[in-house]
Amino acid sequence: MDRDNLVNPVVKNYDRVEACVTAACDRSGRDRREVTLIAVSKTKPMEDIQALIDHGVTHFGENKVQEMCGKEEALPKGLSWHMIGHLQRNKVKYLMGKTCLIHSVDSLRLAQEIQKEAAKAGITCPVLMEINIGNEESKGGIEIHEAESLARQIAALSNVKLCGLMCIAPFVDDPEENRLHFRCMREKRDQLAALQIPGTDIRELSMGMTGDFEVAIEEGATLVRVGTAIFGERDYNI
Ligand SMILES: *Cc1c(COP(=O)(O)O)cnc(C)c1O
C-alpha cells in the first residue's frame, strides 16, 4: 500500500501554502518568523484540523463563536484560536479565555463589551481593528480615516489591548489589484504605531487570504488567514 495515500490532503496543501509563504518572505527580504500562517478551519471537520495538529500546526481561524468554542473544547489545549469573523456583542462572553486574538473589532460598543467581559474574566484581551479598506458596502470594518480616533478610545479600555489592524480586501481576479490596499494598511499601521498611544502595542497586520496572501506578505502582513488553499472549497449547504 502506498503510504502517501494515508496522508490527509490538507497536510500536503498546508505544506504547499507554507512554501509560498516562505517564498514571499524571501522575495521581500522578510524573516519567515515575522509572518503567522493561520489555517482558517471554518465549516471544516475535526479530522482535518486534527491532521494539521498532528503535523505541528497551532494557529487556527474561525468566524463563528459557537463553532470556535466547540472546536476549542474538543481539540487539545495549547492551540491558538483566532476570531476572524463579524462579532455580535452578545457572543463576546463566550470567547473570553478561548481566543488568542479578536481580529474584527469595528466599533467602540463592541470594544466596550470586550472590556466588560475581559474584566469579569480577569484577563486582557488582544484585539485588532477591522478596516474596510475597499470601502465596500457589503463588508464590515471602519473607514481608514476613523482608525486613529477608535484606536485612542480602545486604548483607554484597560482590559483590551489593541495590537494592530485587519482587513478583508476586495475579491479580485488578479491579487495585484489589492497591492495598494495592503500598502495603505501598512502605512496606517505605521502611523498609529508611531503615535505610541499608551496601552496599545500596534504591530500586527492581519491581511491576505487564499487569493492574495503572497502579495499581502510582500506588503507587510504579519498574520495571513488562509482557508480554501489548505482545506479546499467550503460547502455551506451541509
Ligand atoms: C473565510 C475567511 C478567510 C479565508 O478565506 P479563503 O479565501 O478561503 O482563504 C479569511 N479571512 C476571513 C475573515 C474569513 O472569513
Side-chain angles (χ1 to χ4, degrees), residues 28 39 55 81 90-91 112 132 152 168 209-210 223 225:
S28 46
H55 193 55
W81 290 98
N90 61 359
K91 303 259 173 77
Q112 286 168 331
N132 186 347
R152 291 187 185 280
I168 304 174
M209 304 167 42
T210 290
L223 298 153
R225 312 178 307 265

Side-chain angles (χ1 to χ4, degrees), residues 67-81:
E67 187 175 347
M68 197 198 91
C69 290
K71 288 173 173 170
E72 193 273 343
E73 267 163 42
L75 290 162
K77 298 298 144 199
L79 302 171
S80 297
W81 290 98

Side-chain angles (χ1 to χ4, degrees), residues 17 19-21 23-25 27-28 175 179 182 207-220 224:
V17 171
C20 294
V21 169
C25 286
R27 277 199 300 282
S28 46
R179 187 177 290 279
F182 293 141
M207 57 189 197
M209 304 167 42
T210 290
D212 55 16
F213 69 90
E214 292 165 279
V215 173
I217 290 169
E218 289 169 9
E219 295 299 330
V224 290

Side-chain angles (χ1 to χ4, degrees), residues 62-64 82-88 102-105 130 166 168:
E62 290 283 338
N63 69 339
K64 297 219 159 59
H82 295 256
M83 176 41 62
I84 62 174
H86 177 71
L87 185 53
Q88 290 171 302
I102 298 174
H103 291 228
S104 45
V105 171
E130 180 174 352
M166 175 270 219
I168 304 174

